[in-house]
Amino acid sequence: MTWLILVAVFGLSVAQHNPHLKHGRTSIVHLFEWRWADIAAECERFLGPYGYGGVQISPPSEHIVLDNPWRAWYQRYQPIGYKLCSRSGSEAELSDMITRCNNVGVNIYVDAVINHMCGSGGGEGTHSSCGSWFSASKQDFPSVPYSSQDFNNNKCHTSNGEINNYGDPNEVRNCRLVGLLDLALEKDYVRGKVAEYMNKLIDMGVAGFRVDAVKHMWPGDLQNVYGRLHNLNTKWFSNGSRPFIYQEVIDLGGEAISAREYFHLGRVTEFKYGAKLGTVIRKWNGEKLSYTRNWGEGWGFMPNGDAFVFVDNHDNKRGHGAGGASIVTFWDPRLYKMAVGYMLAHPYGVTRVMSSYRWDRNFVNGKDQNDWIGPPSNSDGSTKPVTINADLTCGNGWVCEHRWRQIYNMVKFRNVVNGQPHSNWWDNQSNQVAFGRGNRGFIIFNNDDWDLDVTLNTGMPGGTYCDVISGLKENGTCTGKQIQVGGDGRAHFKISSRDEDPFVAIHAESKL
Ligand code: QV4
Ligand code: CA
């Protein structure tokens, strides 16, 4: 009996940590600001065939439309209701996308903005993505409906109603984050409306949620909301599957609120991961790749089973949020490919690959004045479609990091080595390191300014393998470097410090 209760309690607490990825897939990709129609096509033509397990989509809820700055990307983090028409498309297009992605085994995870509505200075009228009327000044959002009683006005005790001191948990949870009208999630009514929104998406077939601004919500309120969520749609998921929940909490240490407070509710974003990996890859603060022998919990990161990891996200790549200085992004492609390769080879955490659009940066005193610029758009403000070039890359200003060979091949690597232990570590006490994943894969990096030339035990069965960084296995032949593994598992590696990509990766399915 006690055992049964323990199972029930423990079962509940771990249920929302499982991303329900299918067909042995292990990574998701954030298709930031993509249109639903483009994501549907991408699931069928690329993500399914290349082994991606899921997509994080931009917030699908009705949002404010900003004129100043013009159609900033962050308008979607200012909901004005829960109708499902947004900059990415209509409810019908959203629904079609969810169905088509699920049908090729690619899950959809929704970015859920439930801490707040639009900014207090958001005005009044119908300048919203579905044209619903709202008034920010009266705190009136009739399409939900929410009225001023549904916001944390009296519960916030700061003079300007905003969060000024991150050292005070009451302030962080009950006051306004950059002026955003803060929902009273302790109210049964508000909890019900938020859960109704999320349940509608679950019933349509999504696999879970990236929950926005979780630091700004009380764990108890979230527990209540998550507890109201339906099981996943049995058309695509097994009976009794709970939605995957990964919660955005920026915890770099030193604040009153810690990531730990949310572990029992779902996974949590580990922001130390990208900040530290960027520092190591850039060789800042005397960091070296050889110090990553105990990467993961050994570096003070959260427990593996709670962690959701990424090299960069839509905020810290453009200086929003916190801890952005060391973050590597597509703007530094050589370092970026190594960082993403390292993340995908390493067993720690559930991994997310970023996919971006390009914008014109304009740094003044180290701050990008154009950090607000939205996705590639037509003059009427509509988002440009993602076009695909013959070499698999994207056009129209879309970067599509997830389509870079070095990155999609490492997504496949992670699938192939899934469940295998971190093994056969080697380093030169500097920035040359190598490690394997049991007998299924092996990766080696040269981030030093001199050449690497070494023979190592890979743990792999003997044979000729194709390096999936410099090329790939195509019709039984290799378009890149070939690596000979002897019957004893040993292989010779040479990586020039001037190579376009100074790392090599082989896995069981790249064997020729
Ligand atoms: C401004 C002033 C306020 C004033 C207000 C008056 O700064 O002092 O009270 O006007 O209305 C935008 C503007 C911001 C503006 C605000 C409200 O940048 O200047 O306030 O709108 O009008 C994104 C952007 C924000 C943007 C917000 C809403 O990053 O710049 O604010 O969307 O459009 C913390 C949090 C963490 C958060 C991170 C950025 O703990 O949760 O900051 N990250 C998530 C998302 C992020 C999003 C939000 C949270 C909010 O990943 O993209 O913020 O939903 O670390
Ligand atoms: Ca709040």
Side-chain angles (χ1 to χ4, degrees):
M1 190 60 198
T2 338
W3 183 80
L4 269 181
I5 292 170
L6 275 175
V7 168
V9 172
F10 187 67
L12 256 184
S13 72
V14 295
Q16 292 167 166
H17 294 66
N18 180 350
H20 302 296
L21 297 167
K22 299 194 186 76
H23 313 304
R25 300 181 192 179
T26 53
S27 292
I28 76 171
V29 55
H30 183 192
L31 296 180
F32 178 58
E33 284 287 2
W34 279 43
R35 299 153 66 240
W36 308 146
D38 289 330
I39 297 177
E42 189 70 352
C43 284
E44 295 168 343
R45 71 190 166 200
F46 190 83
L47 301 177
Y50 284 80
Y52 282 87
V55 183
Q56 177 183 318
I57 63 169
S58 283
S61 44
E62 183 171 17
H63 53 84
I64 197 167
V65 173
L66 294 175
D67 289 338
N68 188 19
W70 177 255
R71 308 297 187 259
W73 61 266
Y74 54 69
Q75 62 184 17
R76 298 182 71 169
Y77 290 90
Q78 300 194 33
I80 69 106
Y82 301 129
K83 287 188 185 165
L84 297 175
C85 31
S86 64
R87 191 176 200 166
S88 288
S90 66
E91 176 172 342
E93 288 165 318
L94 176 71
S95 170
D96 177 62
M97 173 197 78
I98 295 169
T99 299
R100 287 165 60 191
C101 291
N102 276 325
N103 285 346
V104 293
V106 178
N107 293 346
I108 299 293
Y109 304 97
V110 168
D111 195 345
V113 185
I114 58 174
N115 171 66
H116 52 261
M117 302 299 277
C118 66
S120 59
E124 182 171 301
T126 55
H127 218 31
S128 53
S129 55
C130 318
S132 298
W133 185 90
F134 68 98
S135 168
S137 45
K138 298 194 190 81
Q139 305 185 14
D140 192 9
F141 298 89
S143 82
V144 181
Y146 287 141
S147 67
S148 60
Q149 302 135 39
D150 298 317
F151 293 88
N152 278 332
N153 296 313
N154 305 330
K155 278 181 79 184
C156 170
H157 302 299
T158 63
S159 55
N160 59 359
E162 300 225 10
I163 303 167
N164 305 321
N165 171 17
Y166 274 78
D168 177 355
N170 289 299
E171 207 171 306
V172 175
R173 267 102 175 221
N174 297 340
C175 296
R176 295 175 185 167
L177 167 64
V178 293
L180 299 162
L181 297 172
D182 203 57
L183 284 166
L185 275 163
E186 88 279 5
K187 287 187 68 175
D188 184 70
Y189 176 75
V190 175
R191 291 168 170 179
K193 283 294 168 186
V194 167
E196 182 183 296
Y197 163 58
M198 295 169 84
N199 277 331
K200 175 156 189 193
L201 292 158
I202 291 173
D203 296 346
M204 287 166 80
V206 309
F209 301 90
R210 176 254 187 202
V211 185
D212 181 67
V214 161
K215 184 190 287 182
H216 307 282
M217 296 182 278
W218 294 96
D221 292 343
L222 288 172
Q223 181 157 16
N224 182 289
V225 169
Y226 300 164
R228 297 178 189 226
L229 299 182
H230 297 167
N231 289 337
L232 299 185
N233 189 323
T234 52
K235 183 158 181 218
W236 295 289
F237 302 94
S238 50
N239 246 317
S241 300
R242 297 298 293 153
F244 178 47
I245 300 279
Y246 56 108
Q247 308 169 98
E248 188 227 13
V249 180
I250 306 180
D251 176 4
L252 297 166
E255 271 180 36
I257 295 170
S258 79
R260 199 178 320 120
E261 295 175 47
Y262 300 92
F263 290 166
H264 61 297
L265 301 174
R267 286 189 184 249
V268 180
T269 51
E270 179 50 282
F271 275 82
K272 290 175 188 161
Y273 192 99
K276 289 290 184 192
L277 190 52
T279 310
V280 170
I281 293 282
R282 293 181 189 280
K283 300 186 253 186
W284 285 2
N285 305 343
E287 291 289 5
K288 294 177 177 160
L289 260 182
S290 59
Y291 298 162
T292 65
R293 182 183 193 125
N294 62 343
W295 187 243
E297 292 168 21
W299 272 60
F301 302 161
M302 61 183 67
N304 182 25
D306 296 316
F308 184 88
V309 300
F310 42 92
V311 171
D312 59 328
N313 84 345
H314 71 282
D315 284 331
N316 62 22
K317 73 185 309 151
R318 45 171 57 78
H320 285 236
S326 68
I327 298 297
V328 284
T329 69
F330 71 86
W331 297 107
D332 290 305
R334 195 167 185 263
L335 298 182
Y336 191 63
K337 286 177 274 184
M338 272 196 276
V340 175
Y342 194 100
M343 172 182 80
L344 292 172
H346 195 280
Y348 181 81
V350 168
T351 47
R352 176 180 63 198
V353 170
M354 179 78 214
S355 190
S356 318
Y357 56 80
R358 229 168 259 106
W359 73 99
D360 288 321
R361 294 186 298 176
N362 175 24
F363 287 104
V364 177
N365 297 325
K367 192 201 178 288
D368 178 10
Q369 303 302 303
N370 287 343
D371 63 345
W372 57 270
I373 290 183
S377 297
N378 302 303
S379 51
D380 66 356
S382 59
T383 302
K384 283 190 182 168
V386 178
T387 52
I388 307 296
N389 305 319
D391 64 355
L392 292 187
T393 62
C394 298
N396 262 350
W398 300 94
V399 182
C400 290
E401 297 93 309
H402 71 287
R403 279 174 165 266
W404 296 1
R405 183 191 64 239
Q406 299 84 347
I407 292 179
Y408 70 69
N409 273 344
M410 286 307 299
V411 165
K412 170 95 184 268
F413 178 108
R414 190 176 191 78
N415 295 344
V416 171
V417 305
N418 192 17
Q420 296 290 317
H422 188 260
S423 52
N424 293 304
W425 174 267
W426 168 83
D427 68 70
N428 70 342
Q429 302 191 317
S430 185
N431 291 292
Q432 301 180 351
V433 304
F435 63 90
R437 296 292 305 276
N439 60 3
R440 299 279 294 167
F442 194 78
I443 191 163
I444 175 163
F445 296 85
N446 178 13
N447 198 28
D448 273 325
D449 302 328
W450 59 88
D451 294 352
L452 172 152
D453 191 340
V454 70
T455 298
L456 297 174
N457 178 23
T458 64
M460 308 273 291
T464 305
Y465 291 82
C466 183
D467 165 32
V468 298
I469 303 305
S470 58
L472 49 92
K473 190 173 116 180
E474 225 168 32
N475 311 319
T477 63
C478 181
T479 63
K481 296 181 190 168
Q482 295 190 17
I483 304 294
Q484 310 291 338
V485 177
D488 58 357
R490 291 170 69 82
H492 179 230
F493 296 95
K494 255 183 112 127
I495 305 176
S496 162
S497 61
R498 291 169 312 277
D499 277 1
E500 185 186 343
D501 297 306
F503 63 118
V504 165
I506 58 176
H507 60 71
E509 291 183 24
S510 83
K511 193 170 177 188
L512 296 172

